[in-house]
Amino acid sequence: MSEPEVNPLSSSLLDGWSRFVASPGTPFMIPGHKQRAGLLWPELGAVNTGDVPLFGGLATLKDAAGLLAAAEARTATRWGADWCRYSTGGSTHANQVLTLSVGAAGDEVLVARNAHRSTLSGLLLAGLTPRWLTPEVTDGLITGLSVATLEQAIARHPRARAVFLVEPSYVGTLSDREALIATAHAAGLTVVIDQAWGAHLGFHEDLPAHGIALGADAVIFSAHKTLPAYSQASLVLARTERLDAGRLERAFDLSATTSPAGSILASADAAVALLDSPLGHDRLSVLLASVEQARERLRGAGLSVAGPDTHRMDPTKLVVRLPHGGQLLEQRLIAAGLAPEQADETTVIPIVTLADRPEDLERFTDVVLEHLADSPLPRSAPESTGSAEPAASHALPTARMTPRDAFFADTETVSAVQALGRVSAEVIAPYPPGVPVLVPGEEITQATVDLLQAAAAAGVRIAYAADPTLATFQVVRA
Ligand SMILES: Cc1ncc(COP(=O)(O)O)c(C=O)c1O
C-alpha cells in the first residue's frame, strides 16, 4: 500500500505548519488574529493557537496551491485513486462535491435511503432527482443494501446516472460492496460511496477493503471521524474513468471556502500519512485487538454486541445493544467522563479510533459492566418492536415534489395533525438507523407520523427535524 519513495511519517503540509508556527513573523494577512490574539484576551489567543492559513501560512501565497496539490496527489496514490482533494468542510462538503460531479440538473440518481443529510443537500444543489434504495434493517441495525434492491431500482429507473451508497453505515455494517459495484457498473452507473465512517478501511489486513480498492468511482471520508485529524478534515477521492477530473475540480472549488485552514489540511495530510505507515498499522492492530477484547467481555456479561462474526462489518466498531436502558447507561458513562458518541434506549456506540489506548477501552467496558451489575437488565438482544426498525421497513412515502422544489417552495410550520396530507419541507430520520422516514417533497401520512412518534416514544433520537418532539412539522405552504 505504501509508496516506497514516501517517508511513511512525513507530511509536507505538517512541515509547512511547523515552520510557520515556529516563526510567524508579523503577517499583514488574514487571519485577523495574527497569532497574537492572546495579547488582547488570553483565552481567545489559546483558542486560536495553531490556526495557520493555507495561503501565506503553510507556504507563500505563490507556492501554497502547488504544495497542497502535491500532497493530495500523493494521497490519491495511497488509495489507488486518480484524483484527491482535502476539504476543510467535512464530509458534508465532500458529498456535495460528488453530487455536483455525476450528472446534470434533472438527472435521476439511485440513493441509499440511509444517505446523510449532506447528500440530500447535494442532490438539492445539483438538482438531481433521487430514486431511493432501502437498506435491510434487522433489530434496528442496518445490515446493508441487497443486490436485488439495486437491480430492481435499475430496472425501474434505466436512465439513472449514478448510485450513492453509504458504506459502512453509522453502525459499521457493510453491504456486499463488490457485488453492488459490479451490478451498477454493468448498468453504466457511476458508483459513489460515502465512507465517512471508514477512513481507516483497507489499511490493515484484518480490515475490510476501502471502496476505491473494490472499484468504486469515488469515495469520501471524514478524516476527523476515525483518524487523528482536526475537526472538519475530510477527503474526496475519485477515479476518472466515469467521472471527469475537470468537473470534480470545478465542483470542489465552487462549494469550498476560499480561505482554507492550513491547520486542518496539515492534520488531514499527517493523519493519512500516519495511517499509511508502520506506526499506523501497529495502532490499527492494537485497536482491533482492544475492540475485540471489549466485545468479548461485554458479551461474556450477556450483552448483545454486533461484531464481524455476527454481521459483515468494520471490526473496529463497537455497537452495544440493550433491551432498554441505553440512556441510563449513557448517563453513567458521561458521569465517568466517557461520553459515547451515540446512545438511545437500545444502542450505545462509543467511537473508538487508533488514538484510543487499550486502557481507555478497558475503562469504558468496566463502567458498562459496573452499571449492569448495579442495574441488572434482561440482557437479551433488543426486540425489534420499539427499535427504529419500522423506519426502514415501512413503504416509502409518495414523493409529490423533488427535494429541490420543496426546498425553494414557501414553507410553514404546522401541528402534527395539520401536517397530514401535506408535503414535507424537511428531512426526518430516527437515528440509528438514520434512514429518513421523510425527505423534502414527500407526503406526510398518518402512518409516517405514527411511526415517527413510536420511535420517539421508544427513546430513539429524531434527527434533523426542526422540532424533534414531533409536535410540529415544516411543510410546503399550500
Ligand atoms: C454517513 C455520513 N456522511 C457524511 C457526514 C458528514 O460528515 P461531516 O460531519 O464530516 O461533515 C456524516 C456525519 O455524521 C455521516 O454520518
Side-chain angles (χ1 to χ4, degrees):
M1 189 71 60
S2 308
E3 276 291 271
E5 70 273 17
V6 176
N7 172 355
L9 265 191
S10 91
S11 157
S12 54
L13 301 193
L14 191 58
D15 291 347
W17 180 89
S18 302
R19 267 195 306 274
F20 184 88
V21 167
S23 178
T26 307
F28 283 99
M29 291 183 187
I30 59 169
H33 57 64
K34 305 290 185 93
Q35 317 294 326
R36 289 193 294 278
L39 300 176
L40 308 170
W41 182 359
E43 287 79 8
L44 181 59
V47 81
N48 288 340
T49 300
D51 177 39
V52 171
L54 166 65
F55 296 105
L58 299 191
T60 63
L61 287 182
K62 187 170 129 303
D63 295 335
L67 180 81
L68 176 61
E72 290 168 334
R74 272 195 297 277
T75 291
T77 312
R78 289 189 168 105
W79 265 263
D82 307 323
W83 183 89
C84 168
R85 292 292 303 267
Y86 296 166
S87 173
T88 61
S91 287
T92 296
H93 174 227
N95 274 330
Q96 291 170 350
V97 170
L98 293 176
T99 52
L100 289 165
S101 301
V102 297
D107 282 346
E108 290 179 321
V109 288
L110 308 181
V111 186
R113 184 76 179 191
N114 58 327
H116 186 249
R117 185 174 56 170
S118 54
T119 298
L120 290 172
S121 70
L123 297 173
L124 200 148
L125 292 171
L128 300 171
T129 302
R131 304 295 180 203
W132 299 107
L133 303 166
T134 304
E136 312 293 313
V137 175
T138 309
D139 291 338
L141 282 191
I142 288 185
T143 49
L145 190 71
S146 77
V147 174
T149 299
L150 178 61
E151 284 170 345
Q152 284 157 18
I154 290 171
R156 234 176 282 132
H157 307 290
R159 289 204 309 274
R161 297 286 301 266
V163 56
F164 288 81
L165 305 173
V166 182
E167 305 281 343
S169 68
Y170 180 72
V171 294
T173 48
L174 289 156
S175 311
D176 182 349
R177 290 168 297 162
E178 262 172 305
L180 291 174
I181 292 167
T183 304
H185 281 169
L189 297 174
T190 301
V191 180
V192 172
I193 299 190
D194 177 343
Q195 198 183 287
W197 291 98
H200 54 296
L201 295 192
F203 282 82
H204 190 283
E205 59 282 8
D206 294 335
L207 286 174
H210 57 68
I212 293 282
L214 295 177
D217 298 290
V219 159
I220 64 102
F221 60 75
S222 295
H224 71 92
K225 290 198 195 311
T226 61
L227 301 183
Y230 225 106
S231 288
Q232 298 175 212
S234 174
L235 273 77
V236 200
L237 295 144
R239 292 171 189 278
T240 51
E241 290 108 280
R242 292 178 189 79
L243 287 165
D244 176 63
R247 168 74 85 86
L248 286 161
E249 283 292 333
R250 290 197 300 281
F252 188 98
D253 290 337
L254 175 85
S255 47
T257 175
T258 48
S259 316
S263 33
I264 299 180
L265 300 172
S267 90
D269 191 50
V272 298
L274 176 74
L275 178 68
D276 187 26
S277 73
L279 176 62
H281 184 272
D282 288 353
R283 296 301 309 178
L284 284 172
S285 298
V286 171
L287 171 65
L288 284 157
S290 47
V291 171
E292 184 52 32
Q293 197 183 36
R295 209 165 9 238
E296 275 169 22
R297 286 183 66 203
L298 294 169
R299 284 178 176 171
L303 279 173
S304 161
V305 185
D309 52 339
T310 59
H311 296 84
R312 186 189 291 123
M313 70 182 284
D314 170 7
T316 71
K317 198 85 185 188
L318 194 58
V319 182
V320 181
R321 312 298 315 283
L322 305 150
H324 59 79
Q327 279 150 344
L328 282 178
L329 173 57
E330 179 190 25
Q331 289 314 314
R332 178 80 173 246
L333 288 163
I334 291 172
L338 303 168
E341 236 262 334
Q342 158 73 34
D344 61 32
E345 271 304 279
T346 60
T347 311
V348 176
I349 304 180
I351 298 299
V352 191
T353 76
L354 66 179
D356 285 298
R357 298 160 301 181
E359 58 267 34
D360 300 325
L361 210 49
E362 267 167 40
R363 177 88 191 106
F364 176 89
T365 312
D366 289 345
V367 172
V368 174
L369 297 180
E370 281 161 22
H371 178 72
L372 291 182
D374 294 348
S375 13
L377 295 166
R379 291 175 200 172
S380 55
E383 293 173 19
S384 53
T385 48
S387 77
E389 179 170 11
S393 58
H394 91 300
L396 292 181
T398 306
R400 296 214 333 234
M401 298 171 101
T402 64
R404 182 182 170 92
D405 288 343
F407 177 82
F408 286 114
D410 285 342
T411 61
E412 58 185 326
T413 303
V414 298
S415 72
V417 171
Q418 291 167 328
L420 298 177
R422 303 288 297 274
V423 174
S424 178
E426 56 185 339
V427 192
I428 307 185
Y431 217 111
V435 175
V437 166
L438 271 176
V439 156
E442 291 179 344
E443 182 176 331
I444 302 173
T445 63
Q446 186 70 56
T448 304
V449 172
D450 288 351
L451 188 151
L452 283 169
Q453 287 177 342
V460 176
R461 180 168 72 93
I462 304 299
Y464 313 145
D467 175 1
T469 71
L470 300 170
T472 61
F473 287 75
Q474 296 201 334
V475 297
V476 170
R477 197 180 284 279

